Amino acid sequence: MNKQKFIDKFIRAFLILVLLKVLGLVAQLFHQSFWSVLGTLGIFVAVAIIIFVVMISLKDKEKNDQRSGRRGNSGGNFYLENSLFDRIRSKYEELAEKYITEGDYKKAAKVYMNLLQDNYRAAKTLENGGFYNEAAVIYLKRLHNKSDAAACYEKAKQYRKAIDLYKELDQKEKVGDLYKEMNDIKNAHIYYQMLADDFVDNSQMVKASLIYRKKMEMPDEAQKILLTGWKENKDAFNCLNNYFANIFDSTKLEREIQHLYEETPADKKLIYLEAMKYEFKKNSSLQTVTRNIAYEIISEKVETHSEIVNELKYFNPDDSLILKDISRYKTGRNKMFRN
C-alpha cells in the first residue's frame, strides 16, 4: 500500500470512529448529566481536529515530496506511521498542558489517561488539582499503588479509606496518627503500642521511647524504656544520653546522675564517662558532680587504659596546666615502659 492510500484509509477509518463516538455519547445522555457528556465530547472533537490537521499536513508533505521527485523507499510506510503518531502524541501533550494552564485538571487527566495511556500523570494531575478522591482511585485501580492512594485519601480527609490501606502496608504510625486525627485515642494507642513493641524487639529503644513520649504522651514509660536500654546494653550510650536529656529539673538530674553511676558495672564505666562529658557542658550546676565521677572513672581505668588521661581536659577546659600534667604523665609512663 502506498502512502496516499494509507493516509486516505486512515482518514476514512477515523471519521467512522468519530461518528461511532458521537452516537455513543448521545446514548450516554440517558445515563449521565448533559454537561458531563458534553465535556467528554468536547475533548474528543478537539482530538479529532488535531488528528485531521496532522493527517492533512502529512498529505501536503507527501505531495511536495512527489513534486520534487523524491520517492519513498521500502521503509516509507513505517516512517510515515511513526511520524504520524509522534505528531499526534505531541499534540495530545499540548492539549493536556493547555487544560492544566486553564485550571481544568479533570480534562487534562482524561487526555493523559485515555489518549496518552499515562495513568501516573493522570493521577498526579488530579492530585495537583486537589481532586484527591479521583486521583486515589487511579493510583489504586490502575497503578496498584496503595501508598500514593492512601496519601490522597488522607488529603481528602477520607481517613477510614486511608487507614485500611495503611494497615495493608503495615504502616502502624500512620494508622495511629489518623486514628488520633479522628479523636479515636484508644485505637491510636493500640497501633502506637504495636509500633513501640516492634522497636523494642529490634533493640531500637530510643525510637520506642519517642513513640511513648511524642505520640502517646507517656513520658514516664519513655524513661523506663531508655533505662531498660541502658541496663540491657541496647544502644546503651544513646539511651543514657536521652534519659538525662529528658530530666529538666537540675537538682533531680544531679541526683539521678549520681544514683545511676553508683549502679554502673565496671564494664560500662567508659560509656558513662562519655555521657558525663555531655552533661558537664550542659549545665554549670552539674560540673562538680560530673567532674568528680569523671575523676573516679579515670583513676580506676588509667592502669589498663592509659590514654584515658586525655579525658581530663574535657572537665578542665579553663585549666592551661592540665595539658602539661597530661603530657608529663605520658612521658613518665613511656620512660617506665622503656626501662
Side-chain angles (χ1 to χ4, degrees):
M1 183 186 297
N2 61 33
K3 297 178 182 178
Q4 183 63 48
K5 287 182 179 179
F6 171 78
I7 292 172
D8 291 340
K9 187 175 181 180
F10 190 94
I11 291 174
R12 284 196 298 272
F14 184 76
L15 289 175
I16 292 170
L17 181 63
V18 170
L19 178 60
L20 292 173
K21 184 66 176 181
V22 171
L23 291 173
L25 289 170
V26 170
Q28 288 180 32
L29 281 171
F30 295 100
H31 305 285
Q32 298 182 18
S33 70
F34 172 79
W35 294 111
S36 175
V37 174
L38 190 62
T40 303
L41 180 59
I43 293 175
F44 193 78
V45 169
V47 172
I49 293 170
I50 287 171
I51 294 178
F52 186 75
V53 169
V54 171
M55 293 298 300
I56 293 299
S57 69
L58 285 172
K59 285 183 70 177
D60 290 341
K61 183 179 183 300
E62 185 185 23
K63 288 177 181 178
N64 291 334
D65 288 346
Q66 288 174 349
R67 289 194 192 103
S68 62
R70 289 193 294 267
R71 295 190 177 275
N73 55 30
S74 60
N77 284 344
F78 177 77
Y79 168 78
L80 184 64
E81 291 176 32
N82 278 338
S83 178
L84 170 63
F85 291 117
D86 285 345
R87 291 194 186 194
I88 290 173
R89 183 176 183 83
S90 177
K91 292 296 181 182
Y92 289 166
E93 294 280 359
E94 291 176 11
L95 182 62
E97 289 173 8
K98 174 178 174 291
Y99 285 140
I100 290 173
T101 302
E102 294 171 352
D104 201 335
Y105 294 93
K106 285 190 174 181
K107 284 185 179 179
K110 285 182 179 179
V111 172
Y112 283 128
M113 186 165 58
N114 297 327
L115 302 177
L116 289 167
Q117 302 297 307
D118 191 336
N119 292 321
Y120 180 78
R121 279 204 287 176
K124 206 65 184 174
T125 297
L126 288 169
E127 185 179 354
N128 292 338
F131 298 100
Y132 301 121
N133 281 305
E134 293 88 341
V137 171
I138 296 174
Y139 280 129
L140 193 59
K141 302 297 183 182
R142 291 179 177 263
L143 295 168
H144 309 292
N145 187 330
K146 293 180 181 180
S147 180
D148 284 344
C152 280
Y153 280 133
E154 185 179 347
K155 290 177 183 177
K157 300 189 184 302
Q158 297 284 332
Y159 295 137
R160 291 289 180 187
K161 291 181 179 179
I163 284 172
D164 288 341
L165 290 173
Y166 282 131
K167 284 180 180 178
E168 291 181 34
L169 294 167
D170 198 30
Q171 294 190 23
K172 298 182 181 71
E173 186 172 357
K174 292 296 295 184
V175 174
D177 289 346
L178 291 184
Y179 273 129
K180 196 173 184 180
E181 190 71 27
M182 296 168 63
N183 205 31
D184 187 346
I185 304 303
K186 180 181 178 181
N187 275 316
H189 279 208
I190 287 173
Y191 278 87
Y192 287 147
Q193 184 64 59
M194 289 166 62
L195 180 60
D197 291 343
D198 287 345
F199 284 139
V200 170
D201 290 342
N202 291 312
S203 299
Q204 296 174 293
M205 313 302 276
V206 174
K207 288 185 176 181
S209 75
L210 289 174
I211 295 298
Y212 280 114
R213 179 173 296 279
K214 302 291 185 181
K215 301 290 186 176
M216 302 173 75
E217 299 178 4
M218 299 169 64
D220 291 342
E221 289 300 315
Q223 290 295 80
K224 288 179 183 178
I225 287 291
L226 291 171
L227 269 183
T228 299
W230 161 246
K231 292 176 180 178
E232 295 181 1
N233 242 354
K234 297 177 178 178
D235 196 13
F237 171 76
N238 286 320
C239 284
L240 185 63
N241 198 28
N242 278 272
Y243 179 80
F244 290 148
N246 293 327
I247 301 174
F248 304 103
D249 183 284
S250 57
T251 302
K252 181 180 178 181
L253 179 55
E254 182 178 346
R255 287 199 304 268
E256 197 64 15
I257 286 172
Q258 186 64 49
H259 170 69
L260 283 184
Y261 172 65
E262 291 168 359
E263 295 183 344
T264 299
D267 63 331
K268 294 171 72 175
K269 290 286 182 71
L270 294 178
I271 299 175
Y272 209 90
L273 179 62
E274 284 298 311
M276 292 302 96
K277 287 158 68 172
Y278 280 86
E279 300 307 314
F280 180 86
K281 292 179 181 178
K282 185 193 298 183
N283 192 329
S284 59
S285 65
L286 298 174
Q287 289 185 352
T288 300
V289 65
T290 53
R291 183 187 288 115
N292 289 340
I293 289 172
Y295 284 174
E296 283 188 34
I297 295 172
I298 291 168
S299 63
E300 180 182 322
K301 299 292 185 180
V302 71
E303 291 300 322
T304 54
H305 298 79
S306 60
E307 71 282 357
I308 202 172
V309 295
N310 291 315
E311 305 295 335
L312 290 170
K313 62 187 176 185
Y314 291 103
F315 299 93
N316 299 275
D318 300 322
D319 189 346
S320 59
L321 297 177
I322 194 72
L323 294 177
K324 294 180 180 179
D325 291 339
I326 293 172
S327 180
R328 280 197 296 270
Y329 171 81
K330 286 181 174 179
T331 301
R333 187 175 179 83
N334 288 338
K335 283 181 179 178
M336 179 181 71
F337 281 114
R338 283 197 299 269
N339 293 332

